[in-house]
Amino acid sequence: MHGSRISRCARRGLAAAVAAGSLLTVLTTATPASAGSASAPVGRSEVVCTSQQPGLAPELSQDLADALHGREGASALAIYDRRTRTHCEFQAGAHFDSASVVKVTVLGALLRKAQETRHPLTPHEKRLATAMITKSDNEATTKLWRRVGPAGIKHFLSLAGMRHTVPGAHGAWGLTQITAADQLTLMKLLSTDNRVLTTPSRAYALDLMHRVVADQRWGVPAGAPGSATVHVKNGWLPRKTDGWRVNSVGTFDGHGNDYGMAVLSTGNHTMDDGVAAVERAARVIHRDLTH
């Protein structure tokens, strides 16, 4: 259901928010009133961007609107870029089935539990975590979901400020309800100092996301500059109603890059349709932020 992507996807041309909770330090400087802002309509909603780089907000909002225009299903996205102090949202508060992107949350909760109990991850837990993130292994995820427990998942969500994420009931982790805004909060959490996850914990999580297997490095890495170090996690899930759920989250750093994004989608006829929709948006984001 959420496991390794079918083999034909390996032949594709693979290319390389909310404030945090009470224990989370400020992850980005608040956008000052002088920031440029712009919006562009997509159906009955709109892409809204703010940026300290002159001209970037209107350019990015319109380019994203063009990329999202005409989709039959629903989409949502959220973006931050610390270098240009840019932030964009589209339907960022709407709920989507998480599929396998929730595995980053499971990892965060596991690492937080290890910090609080002062017991480092065991070799077995490390093997499960590696399989869960790098190969999107479902059995490993189920074991770690149970090990952390519902209370541990909710505790981490509260500390991280992911207030609108609802864990899947009865162990159905792939049906966790997520928002693009909360997923972006998680990407910010992993990519800067904070009081929820230590520097070693964050480095461990980002290293696993950097080592995702080649045939699962689609989605938000599409169009990323060669200078960027890519950290990604994808999720994909077909259901009887509203077709395929295809989601992708990631961060990009190194050589002056310091940004992240979450792109969620549902109502796709096929998995490839969903991947294409996510990647259209991702290419626009990379191009406009780094050109």
Side-chain angles (χ1 to χ4, degrees):
M1 180 172 66
H2 319 284
S4 297
R5 195 177 178 199
I6 53 180
S7 59
R8 73 172 184 273
C9 298
R11 298 193 296 269
R12 294 178 57 89
L14 299 176
V18 294
S22 60
L23 291 182
L24 180 59
T25 56
V26 176
L27 296 177
T28 55
T29 304
T31 304
S34 59
S37 62
S39 63
V42 181
R44 296 182 178 180
S45 189
E46 59 184 7
V47 180
V48 178
C49 295
T50 61
S51 180
Q52 282 293 288
Q53 180 168 303
L56 180 56
E59 177 186 30
L60 187 52
S61 60
Q62 185 59 60
D63 288 348
L64 281 171
D66 292 343
L68 295 166
H69 180 73
R71 285 207 68 239
E72 294 184 13
S75 298
L77 60 81
I79 308 156
Y80 74 85
D81 178 33
R82 294 190 178 98
R83 182 181 63 85
T84 60
R85 298 171 75 177
T86 296
H87 184 271
C88 293
E89 290 190 349
F90 174 72
Q91 301 276 44
H95 280 99
F96 290 73
D97 292 333
S98 67
S100 286
V101 296
V102 75
K103 294 172 181 178
V104 183
T105 298
V106 177
L107 178 60
L110 178 70
L111 293 169
R112 178 66 193 188
K113 181 178 180 180
Q115 291 174 194
E116 292 185 350
T117 59
R118 300 183 184 276
H119 288 115
L121 298 187
T122 66
H124 181 57
E125 288 172 329
K126 288 182 178 180
R127 286 193 294 271
L128 291 175
T130 298
M132 176 176 69
I133 300 297
T134 67
K135 299 179 181 179
S136 205
D137 185 278
N138 295 330
E139 184 177 352
T141 307
T142 298
K143 290 178 179 178
L144 290 177
W145 180 271
R146 291 172 178 169
R147 183 161 300 196
V148 174
I153 297 291
K154 291 177 182 178
H155 178 57
F156 175 74
L157 292 172
S158 177
L159 295 179
M162 299 168 67
R163 299 184 182 90
H164 302 289
T165 299
V166 183
H170 310 297
W173 46 262
L175 298 183
T176 295
Q177 297 301 291
I178 63 172
T179 68
D182 273 8
Q183 288 299 296
L184 195 71
T185 294
L186 181 57
M187 295 303 102
K188 291 178 180 179
L189 179 73
L190 293 175
S191 60
T192 196
D193 292 340
N194 61 81
R195 295 172 60 190
V196 179
L197 293 176
T198 64
T199 298
S201 290
R202 294 189 299 103
Y204 179 76
L206 288 173
D207 178 64
L208 292 183
M209 293 173 69
H210 178 61
R211 294 193 286 118
V212 165
V213 294
D215 66 352
Q216 292 181 26
R217 295 182 70 81
W218 45 269
V220 296
S227 60
T229 301
V230 175
H231 314 93
V232 63
K233 186 69 194 82
N234 296 321
W236 56 101
L237 169 66
R239 301 193 70 186
K240 292 181 180 179
T241 58
D242 294 327
W244 280 84
R245 283 77 165 143
V246 179
N247 306 320
S248 186
V249 300
T251 70
F252 306 85
D253 58 30
H255 294 89
N257 301 293
D258 189 1
Y259 61 99
M261 66 185 83
V263 185
L264 314 178
S265 73
T266 191
N268 302 290
H269 293 299
T270 67
M271 179 176 172
D272 284 348
D273 288 343
V275 172
V278 169
E279 292 188 345
R280 277 196 300 273
R283 288 192 176 93
V284 165
I285 296 164
H286 291 299
R287 183 192 68 209
D288 288 0
L289 290 181
T290 63
H291 74 297

